[in-house]
Amino acid sequence: MSSMDILFDKTVTCAACTNTYTTKKVRSRFVRALRSDSDFCSYYADEENSPLLYYVSVCPECGFSTSDEFSSKFPPQTLHTIKTSISANWTYKDYGNKRTVKEAIEAYKLASYSATLKKEKAIVLAGVYMRLAWILRKEKDHEQEMRFMNLAVNAYTQSYINEDFQSTDMSEIKLLYLIGDLYRRLGEEKQAAVYLSKVIQQQTSTLEKRMVEMAKEAWQEIRERQKQGIK
Ligand SMILES: [Zn+2]
């Protein structure tokens, strides 16, 4: 099966400059996840056509970059800031073909910058940082993975505080678990314990038993590490 069949063109209208362009997406019937990490990073049978590479759309005309989670509204002044900070420095570049990992990483960085300037919801920004961290993990770029995981956990924590995850697919217990697991991965075990215990406290009330089980596993891993004296 060639990439031509696996990928298709999606038409996007840029919310910043109204230009219409196409970007690739992976046909869902070709997406087969083999396993996933404790923070939901999925490994695919066909990593060359991973949907992670196509999560972000980049406007070739102005550089404004989004995920499907971005809202269409711009808070006051943000559109102006995007035009002066991104578009004014942009030279035409098309990310709408089959992407290399390097191009996908550039697209994620553009989307995180766009989301920040647009004052997009913290949960949306977190989703961009998190997926970029997963790509960097697969590239075995540990230092950059940690950098973006740290940005992700800060944005997820912000989302938990201001509750902007409500009305998205993210449940509160999943968010708490994810924050806990990311802190664990970052070696911030005290913070990890705070959030993982919030998940475990809900074990009798929640319907999402899997989150409780995963929180207990993460907790166990922290214990094991402490026993071995590994920091
Ligand atoms: Zn544009």
Side-chain angles (χ1 to χ4, degrees), residues 14 16-19 59 61-64:
C14 175
C17 77
T18 72
N19 165 53
C59 174
E61 292 288 344
C62 79
F64 180 63

Side-chain angles (χ1 to χ4, degrees), residues 81-179:
T81 311
I82 286 161
K83 291 197 167 167
T84 52
S85 302
I86 300 178
S87 312
N89 305 309
W90 181 257
T91 39
Y92 184 94
K93 183 163 183 187
D94 188 4
Y95 286 83
N97 300 306
K98 187 177 162 66
R99 283 180 189 164
T100 61
V101 171
K102 184 171 170 285
E103 287 169 330
I105 291 170
E106 288 169 10
Y108 274 99
K109 288 181 179 172
L110 286 163
S112 66
Y113 190 39
S114 299
T116 304
L117 295 180
K118 187 179 178 294
K119 299 179 180 161
E120 190 51 73
K121 281 181 183 174
I123 193 73
V124 173
L125 182 58
V128 173
Y129 286 142
M130 185 77 263
R131 286 169 177 81
L132 177 50
W134 292 340
I135 289 189
L136 294 161
R137 182 180 305 164
K138 291 180 187 190
E139 288 298 293
K140 307 206 183 327
D141 187 342
H142 183 66
E143 197 181 312
Q144 288 295 304
E145 178 201 342
M146 297 289 272
R147 177 185 164 211
F148 285 99
M149 221 156 46
N150 187 52
L151 289 164
V153 81
N154 288 339
Y156 279 128
T157 307
Q158 194 56 50
S159 174
Y160 174 64
I161 292 165
N162 68 27
E163 301 187 336
D164 71 12
F165 64 92
Q166 290 176 354
S167 79
T168 72
D169 291 341
M170 182 69 78
S171 65
E172 182 180 295
I173 195 163
K174 187 176 178 182
L175 180 58
L176 288 169
Y177 163 73
L178 191 51
I179 293 170

Side-chain angles (χ1 to χ4, degrees), residues 213-227:
E213 289 312 309
M214 289 177 80
K216 286 181 177 174
E217 282 167 29
W219 189 268
Q220 193 56 39
E221 279 201 32
I222 292 173
R223 283 242 181 88
E224 293 291 322
R225 268 164 59 131
Q226 284 174 339
K227 245 190 264 169

